[in-house]
Amino acid sequence: MSRDTIIDRIRANKPESLPLQDFSLKPNAKTDLLQLFCKMVEEVSGRVTTIEDFDISKSYPDSKLIGSNVDFFSDSNVDLDSAPLDILQNLDVAILKGEFGVAENGAIWLPEQNMGQRVVPFITKNLVLVVDKNEIIATMHDAYKTLRDIPGYGVFISGPSKTADIEQTLVIGAQGPLTLQIVLT
Amino acid sequence: MQHPIEARKFNEDETHVNWHDQALWFVRQNRDHAANKVSDWEDLRDAASKIKANVLSNLDTYLLQFEEKALENGIAVHWASDANEHNDIVYSILRANNATKLVKSKSMLTEECHLNSFLQSKGIDVIDTDLGERIVQLANESPSHIVMPAIHKKREEVDELFHQRLGTKRSNGDAVYLTREARKHLRKEFLQADASLTGVNFAIAETGGFVVCTNEGNADMGVNCTPIHIASMGIEKIIPKLEHLGIFLRLLARSGTGQPITSYSSHFHKPFVGTEIHIVIVDNGRSTQLGRKDFRNSLHCIRCGACINTCPVYRRSGGHSYDTSVPGPIGSVLSPGKDLSRYSTLPFASTLCGSCADVCPVKIELHTMLYKWRQIITTTKKISYKKKLAISAANWIFTNPNKYRTVTKWGRRFVKMIPEFIRNRLTSWGKGRDLPQVPKQSFDEWYRENRS
């Protein structure tokens, strides 16, 4: 069986065991995490607003299909938990709850229970992630300390989808959402 | 294949070579800007290197732990000794599910295994969904860079290609228009696909999960629109613990493109109800590389692309000159291990400047390995007669200080007398280069006259 062949070959060829150390990396200098987070979101071509300033008709004027699973927004006309793909493919805006933000790279952790269905954060034309401004942590190390239950599927999302595959020209909006807006509560 | 011959073809278009060179150097500089913002960057590299060293020395244990956890979570685990077996496994999964259309996100491993052509020969419609990969797929070419597959293509070429193959309007290479058109085209493919295939950036032994990093969102679109997700991984992609992702995800994108992180870092642990995830764990020569003391650290590689971006030879010869799925410095270290004869010119496609080792996030001593391969190739294979002669001559001159002084003194006198026509034809060094100004004295002579 290939499994056994591979394991045997590895056992025959591997070097002397090198220990796994505990990596204590230098703690970050005191920074305003929220400020850094907002700056990084803009740097990765996302946008930040506050819940007070969030205006869906202004942000997405021509949107017809809107899905949301956050408390403050109830004007949705798509059930994100059950809508089939042929409806979702025309989804203009999805408003989802992010668990926390990472200041060093503007990323938000979105576990599957907050997605409606796994395809929603990718198939939507525009993505809005709602995050509590007190849930901003410094680095990815802190992120993995914060993650309690590992969901079946979860994504760190930093900015909208993008590509530079055509002559290195950055184009915002590739196969995933064209825009990303972070709403801070 | 010979790197110099292929490189010569690439160099026929000097303007394009200059563009290619500058574009990649720009990405290298982006890496520097990003790395400089991380105060503990060198600690991260050190940690990553040590973690990978621990992984390699306990690879069997971690792989078995990973398998156990993945199985517990409902992920199917397959093992493939080589490329053929990998391809057969993927095909059998597709066949078992009556899948005829497969959407793929970037996986250098599947390039290595020549999966696409194999599946296509079996009647499977394979669509590469990363924009760069889709471009080269439509053009019937192979990718020339592991992160930017179509970097060798000019925008006008892409424009013409899309016009011919996708029916787009001619747009003078308008990147935004072409990307939007590709999005429409790929959306149709995602929605009609039966199965999806991704690579694996990191597989976590502790939890049995794995992470896929993309900017385009194409991996997640493919996976979440289809009921079957196949994930191909090399045995070396394992990391011990979930928390180690903190280190690797901070290093990966910054090294490869200068971004703080990719747009999407997708963590897969369990298939969604009613769907399947299959992991194919592939060896294909990696366990042999593990046994090579001088080269085993090349298995640290996280496929970031930093070494490729910085390499002056890659920048000015292009990925196709390497004839491998992974080009550049890391490719030149990995490929001779697989086929010494075919890839014997690759370790020589280097100035040994060491820039690659400088930028490698997992501290692979690439330049040292390239040098070691050269020694193996020179002693076991035929190198060109010209090279043998040049090395013997150099050996004769350099081993004796008096001979050295004499030969170089007369060389300084007479070399400038050789007509340009001859000296630029004598060696390949003369192509596109001329001699610098020859000084009247060597430093040694000047020193004796003036300082001693």
Side-chain angles (χ1 to χ4, degrees), chain B residues 262-300:
Chain B
T262 51
S263 295
Y264 307 104
S265 310
S266 305
H267 296 51
F268 295 93
H269 278 88
K270 294 187 178 132
F272 181 67
V273 159
T275 70
E276 292 173 22
I277 299 181
H278 295 258
I279 292 233
V280 188
I281 301 177
V282 183
D283 183 354
N284 203 32
R286 288 155 173 75
S287 60
T288 311
Q289 186 83 326
L290 185 65
R292 297 187 177 113
K293 183 164 152 287
D294 290 329
F295 305 109
R296 73 163 56 105
N297 288 351
S298 62
L299 293 174
H300 287 192

Side-chain angles (χ1 to χ4, degrees), chain A residues 1-29 39-40 43-44 81 85-86 88-91 104-107 109 112 115-127 139-142 144-145 147-148 150-179, chain B residues 19 23 27 37 39-40 43-44 47 50-51 53-54 56-64 67 79-81 85 129-133 135 147-151 153-156 158 175-176 178-180 182-183 186-187 190-191 207 215-218 220-221 224-225 235 240-247 249-250 254 259-272 277 281 283 287-288 290-291 296:
Chain A
M1 258 215 73
S2 289
R3 178 185 184 271
D4 300 324
T5 321
I6 294 171
I7 295 291
D8 288 339
R9 254 204 309 262
I10 291 172
R11 284 188 178 140
N13 288 337
K14 67 181 179 182
E16 276 287 311
S17 182
L18 291 155
L20 192 61
Q21 298 155 310
D22 228 349
F23 296 100
S24 53
L25 294 147
K26 278 186 254 175
N28 287 281
K39 175 166 160 274
M40 290 314 295
E43 210 174 282
V44 298
D81 293 331
L85 270 181
D86 50 309
L88 290 177
Q89 65 176 303
N90 296 312
L91 186 62
E104 71 160 323
N105 52 27
W109 174 247
E112 91 175 301
M115 292 179 187
Q117 292 172 73
R118 290 186 181 190
V119 75
V120 168
F122 301 95
I123 203 167
T124 181
K125 191 165 165 200
N126 300 287
L127 181 60
T139 66
M140 294 301 287
H141 306 297
D142 304 302
Y144 287 102
K145 290 202 192 95
L147 270 179
R148 284 284 148 256
I150 308 166
Y153 176 62
V155 188
F156 278 105
I157 297 183
S158 172
S161 68
K162 48 185 91 92
T163 181
D165 274 331
I166 297 176
E167 243 193 42
Q168 281 300 289
T169 309
L170 181 65
V171 177
I172 303 300
Q175 314 332 326
L178 303 179
T179 69
Chain B
W19 176 84
V27 184
K37 288 195 195 138
S39 59
D40 51 351
D43 292 334
L44 282 178
K50 293 197 169 104
I51 293 170
N54 166 266
L56 292 183
S57 65
N58 298 285
L59 190 56
D60 52 330
T61 317
Y62 285 129
L63 282 170
L64 293 173
E67 181 192 46
W79 299 72
S81 281
E85 203 179 340
T129 61
D130 173 272
L131 179 60
E133 296 238 306
I135 290 170
V147 174
M148 301 170 282
I151 191 153
K153 283 199 119 34
K154 299 180 233 192
R155 60 178 68 222
E156 295 81 15
V158 180
V176 177
L178 293 169
T179 305
R180 292 284 179 268
R183 176 192 171 84
L186 286 167
R187 283 260 155 153
F190 288 129
L191 294 167
T207 62
N215 279 314
E216 297 184 18
N218 57 309
D220 299 274
M221 269 304 283
N224 297 327
C225 286
I235 54 176
K241 299 186 181 170
L242 188 76
E243 73 196 48
H244 294 148
L245 285 170
I247 293 166
L249 289 180
R250 295 183 77 204
R254 287 186 172 104
Q259 298 171 274
I261 196 168
T262 51
S263 295
Y264 307 104
S265 310
S266 305
H267 296 51
F268 295 93
H269 278 88
K270 294 187 178 132
F272 181 67
I277 299 181
I281 301 177
D283 183 354
S287 60
T288 311
L290 185 65
R296 73 163 56 105

Side-chain angles (χ1 to χ4, degrees), chain A residues 43-55:
Chain A
E43 210 174 282
V44 298
S45 307
R47 211 157 44 108
V48 190
T49 16
T50 55
I51 189 171
E52 296 82 26
D53 292 337
F54 179 62
D55 184 339

